[in-house]
Amino acid sequence: MIRSVIRLTMLLLLLLISSAHAQKWVNISTPWSLVERNPAVDMIDDTIDSFVYGTERGFLYFMERDILTGRIKTTRQREVWAPVKEIRVADCTGNTRPNLVVTTRRGDLFVINLDNMKDIWRLQEGKYQDISTFTVANVDEDPKPEIIMIADGHLVIMTGDEEIEEFSSSEEYTATMIRVADVDADGHDEIVLNTGHVLDAQFRQLEWEFEGDFGQQFDILDIDGDGKLEIVCTLPGVGLQIIDADERRIKWE
């Protein structure tokens, strides 16, 4: 069973990487959280020589591929005691070394040292009931990244290197996916939610709201090579949709 899941995971990763070839991903790393009862996965590097995945049983596995034989083996593992919801490999502490950031379906958040799989820090148990989505990006003037998430229906920003809450919105959001990028080419990053809300990343104020949502899956990249980022999403019954965030209109569908 484990082998079949790993093979499926690797196939999905290869397909996603080939479709993203030569594109610069918006945030520090690009995770793929698969459907329930399948692992949440994030790559360590783009050669698929190593990756991390999490399971419904609450385990994290650091996998490596033997370059000579092509076989995949588990080199490190640990438990997070609840079903893994989303994971991301990113530098959270500002020392340029990647960390593992993990959320569970119980509302936990872990920042983990990839070398030994031990906690750098974790949220106090029970602080949040649900973390629906998160990303890692620098959204203020200091040099260290932040963890930007939707927790218990609010936009919350935590420092990346320790458990300090920098911001919690009074407004409520139902987003299940979040990205940070300069989507309107004004020289400043925005926080983009798949509910169609676009907020100023530094001041966290709503800049604009799209006429619809961006679907369950979306990403932000310069898909047509014009030097400006587009919001690329898939919508039920519509399919692929490309949104020009600068002009706030549908560019192609």
Side-chain angles (χ1 to χ4, degrees):
M1 177 65 178
I2 292 293
R3 289 181 179 178
S4 63
V5 169
I6 291 173
R7 284 196 293 268
L8 173 62
T9 299
M10 294 297 291
L11 176 61
L12 287 167
L13 285 171
L14 287 169
L15 290 172
L16 286 165
I17 291 165
S18 63
S19 67
H21 182 65
Q23 296 289 350
K24 180 180 179 182
W25 293 102
V26 171
N27 293 314
I28 296 174
S29 73
T30 303
W32 290 278
S33 296
L34 306 182
V35 296
E36 192 171 1
R37 298 187 178 84
N38 285 291
V41 181
D42 201 5
M43 294 169 18
I44 305 298
D45 59 50
D46 58 9
T47 62
I48 318 287
D49 285 336
S50 54
F51 65 96
V52 176
Y53 77 90
T55 71
E56 285 285 321
R57 290 188 173 186
F59 285 92
L60 299 167
Y61 296 93
F62 187 110
M63 312 294 294
E64 291 184 353
R65 179 175 64 88
D66 188 302
I67 297 175
L68 296 178
T69 66
R71 292 182 178 176
I72 298 171
K73 61 181 180 180
T74 301
T75 59
R76 296 186 287 283
Q77 70 180 65
R78 65 159 290 175
E79 189 175 6
V80 291
W81 307 286
V84 176
K85 185 170 188 177
E86 191 173 2
I87 65 179
R88 185 177 292 274
V89 174
D91 172 21
C92 289
T93 61
N95 65 359
T96 71
R97 292 180 61 83
N99 312 118
L100 178 60
V101 191
V102 179
T103 58
T104 73
R105 297 188 185 278
R106 193 175 58 185
D108 305 303
L109 183 144
F110 297 81
V111 178
I112 297 169
N113 186 317
L114 269 174
D115 295 328
N116 56 25
M117 299 295 277
K118 293 182 178 180
D119 292 347
I120 296 174
W121 64 270
R122 62 171 293 188
L123 282 179
Q124 180 182 353
E125 189 172 348
K127 182 176 178 64
Y128 300 115
Q129 298 302 306
D130 176 66
I131 298 175
S132 60
T133 185
F134 78 95
T135 192
V136 180
N138 192 338
V139 292
D140 56 24
E141 296 180 350
D142 68 28
K144 295 182 179 180
E146 285 77 40
I147 298 172
I148 305 98
M149 58 188 181
I150 302 296
D152 290 346
H154 296 271
L155 176 68
V156 175
I157 298 178
M158 306 285 300
T159 57
D161 57 350
E162 56 184 321
E163 187 189 354
I164 296 177
E165 185 181 285
E166 293 186 356
F167 173 82
S168 180
S169 69
S170 57
E171 298 83 5
E172 294 188 357
Y173 299 98
T174 59
T176 56
M177 194 171 183
I178 188 169
R179 289 285 183 266
V180 175
D182 180 10
V183 294
D184 55 11
D186 65 353
H188 303 283
D189 282 343
E190 285 78 38
I191 296 171
V192 184
L193 307 179
N194 68 329
T195 49
H197 296 89
V198 180
L199 297 86
D200 181 279
Q202 184 173 358
F203 299 105
R204 295 100 199 202
Q205 297 172 338
L206 182 67
E207 288 192 358
W208 59 280
E209 185 176 353
F210 191 58
E211 59 190 26
D213 60 48
F214 301 140
Q216 291 299 308
Q217 296 289 328
F218 80 98
D219 222 314
I220 302 171
L221 57 156
D222 180 7
I223 199 166
D224 55 8
D226 65 353
K228 296 181 180 180
L229 295 170
E230 286 83 34
I231 299 171
V232 182
C233 51
T234 56
L235 297 169
V238 176
L240 183 67
Q241 187 175 81
I242 299 172
I243 298 166
D244 186 321
D246 184 20
E247 299 184 9
R248 305 179 185 182
R249 64 177 179 84
I250 297 173
K251 197 170 190 176
W252 184 86
E253 65 180 353

